[in-house]
Amino acid sequence: MSKITILGSEFKSKLELQLAPAIKAGFPSPADDYRHDSLDFNRDLIKHPESTFYGKVAGDSMIDAGISDGDIAVIDRSAEAVNGDVVVAYVNEEFTIKYLDTTHQEEGYIELKPANDKYESIRIDALDEFEVWGVVVWTIKNWKK
């Protein structure tokens, strides 16, 4: 099961990095060496700084979605969660990261679905303490550990 530890949000400082050209998996273009755009994570990736947090993923229940143990999830609490979104949910006193499945809502329950066949879905009904805490809008992965 993947859990997530919620960390603070502090998006006041500017972090501007050079943006690499479009990265192709084929033959690179020599003209790409002359492109010099920049990427500011706060400006370009965070739509709602006052309601955006990041969390460190622990576990492997979302591995088939490309979300691994140790990844950082960027979570927007102001985004409206819809069916199929990757969400951070608060369920019975624990945070978890899963796909939101609302297809059974008329039957009185919803599910949180993992992206790993080793784990079963979590069924949420009226007796559970439950909140969609936020929607995962980005993940950051460390490829060199």
Side-chain angles (χ1 to χ4, degrees):
M1 160 102 59
S2 291
K3 296 182 180 180
I4 191 155
T5 302
I6 305 301
L7 307 170
S9 68
E10 190 61 45
F11 297 109
K12 294 178 181 156
S13 62
K14 186 174 184 179
L15 174 59
E16 193 167 301
L17 303 173
Q18 291 299 314
L19 182 63
I23 301 170
K24 300 175 184 160
F27 186 74
S29 166
D32 286 341
D33 291 338
Y34 298 101
R35 194 167 175 195
H36 294 290
D37 291 339
S38 65
L39 171 71
D40 181 328
F41 279 87
N42 300 328
R43 177 193 70 217
D44 299 329
L45 302 183
I46 309 300
K47 288 184 180 177
H48 308 108
E50 64 285 345
S51 61
T52 301
F53 294 81
Y54 59 97
K56 191 159 190 170
V57 177
D60 64 352
S61 71
M62 294 299 287
I63 195 80
D64 292 336
I67 302 172
S68 305
D69 185 69
D71 287 355
I72 296 173
V74 180
I75 308 152
D76 188 339
R77 294 204 66 198
S78 69
E80 183 177 338
V82 297
N83 186 58
D85 278 347
V86 175
V87 299
V88 172
Y90 186 73
V91 182
N92 299 324
E93 301 183 9
E94 287 189 2
F95 285 102
T96 188
I97 181 170
K98 300 284 184 283
Y99 283 114
L100 178 65
D101 179 356
T102 60
T103 58
H104 301 284
Q105 202 162 10
E106 289 184 10
E107 300 164 51
Y109 70 96
I110 62 170
E111 291 183 311
L112 297 174
K113 295 192 171 249
N116 184 335
D117 290 339
K118 292 188 332 187
Y119 300 95
E120 294 191 20
S121 297
I122 300 170
R123 182 179 165 141
I124 307 293
D125 59 32
L127 298 177
D128 290 298
E129 181 183 356
F130 171 75
E131 175 187 2
V132 172
W133 196 83
V135 177
V136 176
V137 292
W138 296 95
T139 55
I140 302 169
K141 181 176 289 299
N142 181 0
W143 288 96
K144 184 159 176 75
K145 296 181 181 184

